[in-house]
Amino acid sequence: MSDTRPTVLFVCVHNAGRSQMAAGWLRHLAGDRVEVRSAGSAPAETINPAAVEAMNEVGIDITGQTPTRLTWDAARESDVIITMGCGDACPVFPGKRYEDWKLDDPAGKGVDAVRPIRDEIRTRIEALLADLLPAS
């Protein structure tokens, strides 16, 4: 049987904050019903500690994730590509579903500033899931 799960790729510049939180939420809320990927056009060395702390507060551990460089293959093999401020570095492939989420960049901010970004991402992930996996 072929894998018919939708694949979602989250892309931002550093792959250290927004895209990692979005991937964490989607893994948490969708389980194995969606294949989740994240990448950055210029990946950071490590994940933003405030993003890690904010996600830990809601019971989601993203400490095992590593910022990853965006590849053409990852984008080409994804059904949905969600960008978060990666600008011209984000590849465009015909036939893909694109969404650009305007979110504040948590880089250099403390956990108090990251919480509202985390909560906004959750709201968007819930809407995306409702669309990708309609109740059967």
Side-chain angles (χ1 to χ4, degrees):
M1 184 174 142
S2 67
D3 189 353
T4 57
R5 297 180 304 163
T7 301
V8 178
L9 172 64
F10 296 102
V11 183
C12 65
V13 175
H14 300 300
N15 191 219
R18 294 166 291 188
S19 55
Q20 293 288 356
M21 288 192 288
W25 273 122
L26 187 53
R27 284 186 193 100
H28 178 74
L29 295 171
D32 61 2
R33 297 175 300 158
V34 176
E35 185 177 337
V36 181
R37 301 173 176 169
S38 71
S41 53
E45 294 285 314
T46 58
I47 295 185
N48 179 332
V52 170
E53 185 178 343
M55 293 301 283
N56 276 337
E57 290 176 354
V58 293
I60 300 172
D61 181 4
I62 60 171
T63 55
Q65 302 302 314
T66 305
T68 304
R69 179 166 297 283
L70 175 64
T71 65
W72 285 98
D73 287 345
R76 190 179 64 240
E77 295 165 7
S78 298
D79 300 308
V80 180
I81 299 173
I82 296 176
T83 57
M84 302 171 180
C86 65
D88 296 337
C90 291
V92 175
F93 288 95
K96 302 292 179 193
R97 172 177 166 181
Y98 285 90
E99 291 184 23
D100 185 44
W101 292 0
K102 305 269 188 258
L103 297 162
D104 290 337
D105 188 346
K109 296 185 168 85
V111 72
D112 289 342
V114 175
R115 284 186 193 109
I117 302 168
R118 172 200 68 200
D119 296 343
E120 162 91 3
I121 290 171
R122 178 183 182 143
T123 300
R124 290 174 184 245
I125 292 292
E126 288 170 341
L128 176 69
L129 264 178
D131 194 43
L132 283 179
L133 303 172
S136 47

